[in-house]
Amino acid sequence: MKITRTQNILAAALVGALVFITTIAQAADPLASWNDGKAKHSIIEFVGKVTEESSLDFVPVAERIAVFDNDGTLWPEQPMYFQAFFIFDRIKQLAPQHPEWKTKEPFSSVLKGDLKSAIAGGEHALIEMAMATHAGTTTEEFEKIVTDWITTAKHPKTGRLFTEMVYQPMLEVLTYLRANGFKTYIVSGGGIEFMRPWAERVYGIPPEQIIGSSIKTKFELRDGKPVLVRLPQMNFVDDKAGKPVGIQMHIGRRPIAAFGNSDGDLQMLQWTAAGKGARFCLYVHHTDAEREWAYDRTSSIGRLNKGLDEAKAKGWKVVDMKKDWKLVFPFQKSE
Amino acid sequence: MKITRTQNILAAALVGALVFITTIAQAADPLASWNDGKAKHSIIEFVGKVTEESSLDFVPVAERIAVFDNDGTLWPEQPMYFQAFFIFDRIKQLAPQHPEWKTKEPFSSVLKGDLKSAIAGGEHALIEMAMATHAGTTTEEFEKIVTDWITTAKHPKTGRLFTEMVYQPMLEVLTYLRANGFKTYIVSGGGIEFMRPWAERVYGIPPEQIIGSSIKTKFELRDGKPVLVRLPQMNFVDDKAGKPVGIQMHIGRRPIAAFGNSDGDLQMLQWTAAGKGARFCLYVHHTDAEREWAYDRTSSIGRLNKGLDEAKAKGWKVVDMKKDWKLVFPFQKSE
């Protein structure tokens, strides 16, 4: 076949158009840090079907609620919960006012720098330390304490600010969902007032969309000025079976999408999955010992055991961090 | 002066334009049911100064939080709280399963139709009846019970659905604030799950922006299906000093505007007023015995005593329902 000059021009134009379209498509990829694969495709497919008005699975904007665990889902939880580092720093800071801590566990271990022993008491020890270090201030004072800490404290392994260690692929999911009319919430076992001071800046999630564990507060007039005083009494533990309770209390509507990483998120995923219509449940599986950490069924922090089985049985998505994510942290972009 | 044909045409055109502009302005009055006066002007002035970017009092959209009490502020609370009528109807409905109620106060008074005696025990009696009638179902079952009741039960005086008895001028304030970037919240002593099923349709306020009193709930798997069971234990009383606590728990940000009608709202108004920058606090004063009810300093329901003094001392706005509102309820438009 003889190729004419016209055909040549046409071919060149087509190639040009193709390059142009590909470039646009790449530039506009809302999940650019995700490798092509089942996990990425499942997110895009779900968002497509609940937002396309002609779809049988269409969901009105008001009902597009997506909930995210924080520790291990949006940022790491190794070698221990980031809030535990905050608690340890607070204990060191407050120690001069608490001479009894020198001989009282778990405080004495913290002061000796033996963090493993300090958290050996499990959830009970953490709650005791949290109350001792999170109470006794007004809400405004506590917000400042958290802000000062989060903008200066560094992670022991990476030497980075904790807020630099958020998962880039999950930031993209948050942005992608919001661009499609979703309201994104954090539903975390962590302290609600520990997350609020920085979550809007880091995740784009405002204070009113943060659900977490809390201590009680009390309204008082101090010299005529109203304050909320933080008390050393637990108010609510937003973990495991507490997560659906927290969701109902704060949102009053069942989410249509839920993202977690541990057995502590299982009830939240069950609650989300059991609603009518299209639902999306996803577990982040920590499989990347090199770029992050690898742990699951036997880890004392962020154990994913029952959840992994249930995800398989129910067809929930499981993200293989090592395989599915092009990069883990934003700072790896420039490395 | 001799009037030319051109001047005539010009004058006619000007008059026409003026009529047109006036019509537009009237049609666009966002607070059409408010009489011209201090109260109406103060609302418009406040919204103007916090939304005008060049204003010293400008507030970014994310921080434009407005909180509204419900009973007595958005709908009436006479001859008793509307939720009390729901409680009484539930007691009658559940009585066959509770033979002991025949001789047990306050239930026996309700069953005899003696509602005055039933509520003579005050808050304690109301909470006892609320727990007995609001617990024992799942959250989904309770939502259906409330929806069925609110769409059929009638007010004893007006014979209207309770949701027809919302204050038209306050509906206009809600719409006006939202049109100016505000997030509107209900912060009520009433039950959070009693308000959520209808507040979106009636007030345009979604479930996640309702704060109220609550009983505890518990997550359970029933035949593998997750449910939240409502328990007969108080979780939170969102009244008086509880209101700022509820606001902090749910919103995590201090409101810039607060609307109430009783001493039960005083701490909410104090908390709102004490923030930095422009603030707006308003009390609805029930002064209209003819179109609604007239009560304040000595009323057992919705008492406004300390609040009235503090409003005067601090320059908060006080709405005189009789003088400031052209009409009270939407159905009066067509009467």
Side-chain angles (χ1 to χ4, degrees):
Chain A
M1 187 177 110
K2 195 183 158 196
I3 294 167
T4 65
R5 187 181 140 79
T6 312
Q7 278 171 326
N8 257 332
I9 292 170
L10 200 63
L14 279 171
V15 168
L18 203 65
V19 168
F20 179 69
I21 288 164
T22 310
T23 310
I24 290 287
Q26 280 171 345
D29 182 355
L31 302 177
S33 302
W34 291 70
N35 285 315
D36 266 333
K38 272 190 201 171
K40 176 174 181 171
H41 293 168
S42 70
I43 299 169
I44 293 170
E45 191 208 337
F46 173 75
V47 170
K49 71 182 178 186
V50 297
T51 55
E52 174 52 55
E53 280 194 46
S54 63
S55 160
L56 285 172
D57 293 311
F58 177 74
V59 175
V61 165
E63 293 165 28
R64 291 184 205 157
I65 305 284
V67 288
F68 291 79
D69 170 58
N70 186 39
D71 299 310
T73 301
L74 297 179
W75 74 0
E77 55 193 352
Q78 299 289 356
M80 61 183 91
Y81 298 122
F82 290 1
Q83 194 175 356
F85 292 114
F86 170 71
I87 289 171
F88 299 151
D89 285 348
R90 284 283 290 159
I91 288 175
K92 289 171 206 158
Q93 207 176 19
L94 293 170
Q97 297 149 248
H98 293 273
E100 76 279 11
W101 285 355
K102 274 186 196 151
T103 54
K104 192 185 170 192
E105 287 294 354
F107 303 93
S108 57
S109 288
V110 174
L111 295 176
K112 278 178 225 142
D114 180 2
L115 304 184
K116 284 232 159 169
S117 299
I119 57 164
E123 196 184 330
H124 176 77
L126 265 181
I127 286 180
E128 190 183 351
M129 290 188 282
M131 289 199 299
T133 54
H134 285 54
T137 64
T138 67
T139 49
E140 282 183 318
E141 287 161 357
F142 188 72
E143 184 182 342
K144 193 182 173 317
I145 290 166
V146 172
T147 303
D148 289 347
W149 184 84
I150 201 83
T151 50
T152 52
K154 303 278 172 67
H155 188 274
K157 186 179 166 190
T158 65
R160 300 260 176 185
L161 291 175
F162 293 101
T163 49
E164 290 181 277
M165 294 178 66
V166 292
Y167 301 138
Q168 175 64 27
M170 295 306 287
L171 294 180
E172 292 168 7
V173 172
L174 287 170
T175 304
Y176 177 53
L177 288 176
R178 289 194 292 258
N180 282 282
F182 279 76
K183 246 186 187 171
T184 53
Y185 282 80
I186 287 179
V187 179
S188 168
I192 188 168
E193 302 297 2
F194 174 74
M195 297 180 281
R196 280 172 162 164
W198 49 268
E200 189 158 30
R201 172 175 58 86
V202 175
Y203 298 135
I205 300 181
E208 63 267 31
Q209 284 159 228
I210 310 284
I211 304 172
S213 298
S214 56
I215 55 176
K216 289 195 187 293
T217 62
K218 187 172 174 286
F219 178 85
E220 270 182 27
L221 290 177
R222 286 188 176 170
D223 302 324
K225 192 187 169 240
V227 292
L228 286 169
V229 182
R230 294 171 56 81
L231 306 177
Q233 299 164 34
M234 279 310 290
N235 177 60
F236 181 63
V237 178
D238 190 50
D239 197 26
K240 302 187 182 78
K243 290 205 173 193
V245 172
I247 288 170
Q248 180 62 27
M249 180 55 59
H250 286 258
I251 312 179
R253 221 183 310 239
R254 199 190 294 244
I256 64 167
F259 300 77
N261 79 297
S262 79
D263 287 354
D265 303 313
L266 181 55
Q267 289 88 342
M268 174 170 84
L269 270 62
Q270 289 172 333
W271 178 244
T272 301
K276 280 175 203 149
R279 303 281 146 166
F280 187 83
C281 290
L282 183 149
Y283 262 131
V284 173
H285 189 188
H286 292 262
T287 52
D288 194 334
E290 205 171 305
R291 296 184 301 178
E292 208 245 4
W293 284 269
Y295 57 99
D296 48 30
R297 292 186 187 273
T298 58
S299 176
S300 63
I301 289 175
R303 177 173 301 175
L304 179 61
N305 184 30
K306 284 183 199 171
L308 214 46
D309 296 334
E310 190 146 337
K312 204 173 175 184
K314 295 197 173 166
W316 298 342
K317 308 304 160 196
V318 177
V319 168
D320 182 332
M321 280 177 76
K322 191 169 182 173
K323 233 180 64 187
D324 287 322
W325 288 0
K326 280 187 193 156
L327 56 95
V328 176
F329 302 119
F331 57 77
Q332 293 167 335
K333 271 185 194 172
S334 50
E335 276 176 359
Chain B
M1 186 176 111
K2 195 183 156 194
I3 294 165
T4 65
R5 188 181 138 81
T6 312
Q7 278 170 327
N8 256 331
I9 291 169
L10 200 64
L14 279 171
V15 168
L18 202 66
V19 168
F20 178 69
I21 288 164
T22 309
T23 309
I24 291 285
Q26 279 171 345
D29 181 357
L31 302 177
S33 303
W34 290 70
N35 285 315
D36 265 333
K38 272 189 201 172
K40 177 174 180 171
H41 293 167
S42 70
I43 298 169
I44 294 170
E45 191 207 337
F46 173 75
V47 170
K49 71 183 179 186
V50 297
T51 55
E52 173 53 52
E53 279 195 47
S54 63
S55 160
L56 284 173
D57 293 311
F58 177 74
V59 175
V61 166
E63 293 166 29
R64 291 184 203 157
I65 305 283
V67 288
F68 291 80
D69 169 57
N70 185 40
D71 300 309
T73 300
L74 296 179
W75 75 359
E77 56 191 351
Q78 299 289 356
M80 59 183 89
Y81 297 122
F82 290 1
Q83 194 175 355
F85 291 114
F86 171 71
I87 290 171
F88 299 152
D89 285 347
R90 285 283 290 159
I91 288 175
K92 289 171 204 159
Q93 207 175 20
L94 293 170
Q97 296 149 247
H98 294 274
E100 76 280 11
W101 285 356
K102 274 187 196 150
T103 54
K104 192 186 171 192
E105 286 294 356
F107 302 95
S108 57
S109 288
V110 173
L111 295 176
K112 279 179 224 143
D114 180 3
L115 304 183
K116 285 231 157 170
S117 299
I119 58 165
E123 197 184 328
H124 176 77
L126 265 181
I127 285 180
E128 190 183 352
M129 290 187 282
M131 289 200 299
T133 54
H134 286 54
T137 64
T138 67
T139 49
E140 283 184 317
E141 288 161 356
F142 188 72
E143 185 183 343
K144 193 182 174 315
I145 289 166
V146 171
T147 303
D148 288 348
W149 184 83
I150 201 83
T151 49
T152 52
K154 304 279 170 68
H155 188 276
K157 187 179 165 191
T158 65
R160 301 261 175 183
L161 291 174
F162 293 102
T163 50
E164 289 180 276
M165 294 179 66
V166 292
Y167 301 138
Q168 174 63 28
M170 295 305 288
L171 293 180
E172 291 168 6
V173 172
L174 287 169
T175 305
Y176 177 53
L177 289 176
R178 288 194 293 258
N180 282 282
F182 279 76
K183 246 186 189 171
T184 53
Y185 282 81
I186 286 179
V187 180
S188 168
I192 189 168
E193 301 298 2
F194 174 74
M195 296 180 281
R196 280 172 163 165
W198 50 268
E200 189 157 31
R201 171 174 59 84
V202 175
Y203 298 136
I205 300 181
E208 63 267 31
Q209 284 159 229
I210 309 284
I211 304 171
S213 297
S214 57
I215 55 176
K216 288 195 187 294
T217 62
K218 186 173 177 284
F219 178 85
E220 270 182 29
L221 290 177
R222 286 189 176 169
D223 302 324
K225 192 188 168 241
V227 291
L228 286 168
V229 182
R230 294 171 57 80
L231 306 176
Q233 298 164 33
M234 279 311 291
N235 177 60
F236 181 63
V237 178
D238 190 50
D239 198 25
K240 302 188 181 79
K243 290 204 174 193
V245 172
I247 287 169
Q248 180 63 27
M249 180 55 59
H250 286 258
I251 312 179
R253 226 189 294 249
R254 199 190 295 243
I256 64 167
F259 300 77
N261 79 296
S262 78
D263 287 355
D265 304 314
L266 181 56
Q267 289 88 344
M268 174 170 84
L269 269 62
Q270 289 172 333
W271 179 243
T272 301
K276 280 176 202 149
R279 301 282 145 165
F280 187 82
C281 290
L282 182 148
Y283 261 130
V284 173
H285 189 190
H286 292 263
T287 53
D288 194 334
E290 204 171 308
R291 295 184 302 179
E292 208 244 2
W293 284 268
Y295 57 98
D296 49 29
R297 293 188 186 270
T298 59
S299 175
S300 63
I301 291 176
R303 176 174 302 175
L304 179 60
N305 183 30
K306 284 184 199 168
L308 214 47
D309 296 335
E310 190 147 338
K312 204 173 173 185
K314 295 196 173 165
W316 298 343
K317 308 305 160 194
V318 177
V319 167
D320 181 333
M321 282 177 76
K322 192 170 180 173
K323 232 180 66 188
D324 286 322
W325 288 1
K326 279 187 193 155
L327 55 95
V328 176
F329 303 119
F331 57 78
Q332 293 167 334
K333 271 186 194 170
S334 49
E335 277 177 359

